[in-house]
Amino acid sequence: MTIATTPALDWQVTRNLAARSPQERDAILANPGFGQHFTDHTVDVCWSVGGGWHRPRVQPYGPISLDPSAAVLHYGQEIFEGLKAYRHADGSIWTFRPEANAARMQRSARRLALPELPVEYFIDALEQLIAIDGEWVPSEPETSLYLRPFMFAKEAFLGVRPANKVAFYLIASPAGPYFSGGVAPVSIWLSTNYARAGKGGTGAAKTGGNYASSLLPQAEAAENGCQQVLFLSEDTYLEELGGMNVVLVYRDGTLVTPDSDSILEGITRDSILQLARDRGHRVEQRRVTIDEWREGAASGDITEVFACGTAAVVTPIGQLKAADFTIGSPDAVAGEVTMSLREELTDIQYGRVEDRHGWLHRLDN
Ligand code: PLP
Ligand code: COI
């Protein structure tokens, strides 16, 4: 009997001769912001219909050369992921549930008619990047190295069909808090003019088009003094924010979060809900109407609401603003359940408490 295995990748490594000096790197790591600076290398693997996954490379970070007719530039055949590398107190480097990101990337790939990158290759790519750019993982509290795997159609062809040539890349960016105010409660804007996704669409996939369609409503949110936008389905049911999931906390300790086929199933949300269940909270994943939130907030039944995602971690929502009503206030204080779940999650990620669910994966050796 033969057992099918994924052949190991034979990496070709080209070091960046113009890599930043330790001093330059430290200056960036002292104040990384979010998504503004990138490490010295990229990892990439090619795919073609005839050749499968091939030419695995670690290369100097730099521009990608693409044919102007590359399919991604016209029809948006693209997917991505987001996860983080955390430095523990002993200097070791870990990531959080990478298999879940790899599996989600495979689901996104299926929806976007892209090839499924084997989970082993996804994790190998992370380890390759950390092997060469591990010094870029910051060590200050609440900082991390944001890892951004992505895949796109690079075939030069204007016909509308799945591309026969695809590239997978991994880049990394040192990260501080996503919101400039840190973990202070944020205000969010209820979009009623725009939807992020529709039934049968690409809402559950992590694909660029979903984010492109969120930019105009996100700009509307900013005009109304809000940091994020909340989308509804059928003008009624809570979906998610532009780049994070949403969870409501009830007075009796129940956590409620939308069940929908058109939202991104967050790994942060899944982890937070598990931690809450471990503490004895009831957790409900079901349809939630905007009226339930309004009425629950007014009656005091809903005591806290938070956003969660890799970039945002767990961020309290102080206020929801809509064209004709407001819930909460911009001066709201962060909720106790929100902050204590946030602390437990980050304690696990930074190795400060036991990883009882086996969520951490060591990236350096
Ligand atoms: N929803 C959207 C639209 C997102 O972009 C993200 C961030 O990745 C999430 C939810 C949260 O997902 P995760 O917790 O896996 O980062
Ligand atoms: C993430 O949290 O990884 C995302 O992709 C969200 C984006 C707003 C940065």
Side-chain angles (χ1 to χ4, degrees), residues 258-331:
D259 184 30
S260 163
D261 292 340
S262 47
I263 64 175
L264 191 77
E265 286 186 65
I267 294 153
T268 314
R269 180 176 76 153
D270 184 69
S271 310
I272 286 287
L273 296 182
Q274 183 59 51
L275 296 179
R277 275 189 216 100
D278 294 350
R279 293 174 178 200
H281 288 268
R282 197 159 67 149
V283 168
E284 295 174 7
Q285 200 158 337
R286 60 169 169 81
R287 301 230 278 185
V288 193
T289 64
I290 187 70
D291 286 344
E292 177 176 341
W293 184 353
R294 280 183 82 172
E295 288 158 17
S299 70
D301 279 345
I302 295 174
T303 47
E304 304 176 26
V305 182
F306 63 85
C308 55
T310 298
V313 194
V314 173
T315 300
I317 295 174
Q319 186 188 39
L320 173 75
K321 275 170 90 174
D324 53 356
F325 68 91
T326 299
I327 303 174
S329 107
D331 310 318

Side-chain angles (χ1 to χ4, degrees), residues 60-174:
Y61 186 97
I64 295 174
S65 164
L66 270 187
D67 194 287
S69 68
V72 65
L73 300 177
H74 303 272
Y75 310 124
Q77 197 191 1
E78 185 268 356
I79 56 174
F80 66 98
E81 268 303 324
L83 66 170
K84 284 173 169 173
Y86 306 91
R87 192 177 292 284
H88 287 190
D90 65 0
S92 59
I93 301 170
W94 302 73
T95 192
F96 186 73
R97 305 186 69 184
E99 305 81 8
N101 291 91
R104 187 169 69 188
M105 194 168 204
Q106 292 184 332
R107 295 199 297 279
S108 298
R110 278 198 289 281
R111 181 63 185 84
L112 272 290
L114 283 163
E116 290 178 40
L117 184 78
V119 174
E120 298 90 319
Y121 290 0
F122 184 96
I123 292 176
D124 193 1
L126 303 179
E127 291 175 352
Q128 292 297 325
L129 193 71
I130 292 302
I132 199 155
D133 278 342
E135 302 283 357
W136 282 91
V137 182
S139 50
E140 289 301 308
E142 308 295 318
T143 61
S144 58
L145 183 66
Y146 184 75
L147 304 165
R148 171 54 65 87
F150 59 105
M151 191 192 293
F152 58 88
K154 69 172 177 186
E155 185 180 358
F157 176 67
L158 288 186
V160 182
R161 59 144 171 80
N164 289 329
K165 286 187 186 163
V166 165
F168 166 83
Y169 271 80
L170 169 65
I171 57 174
S173 172

Side-chain angles (χ1 to χ4, degrees), residues 32-47:
F34 184 89
Q36 298 167 31
H37 303 280
F38 299 91
T39 67
D40 291 313
H41 297 86
T42 64
V43 170
D44 77 86
V45 188
C46 298
W47 179 90

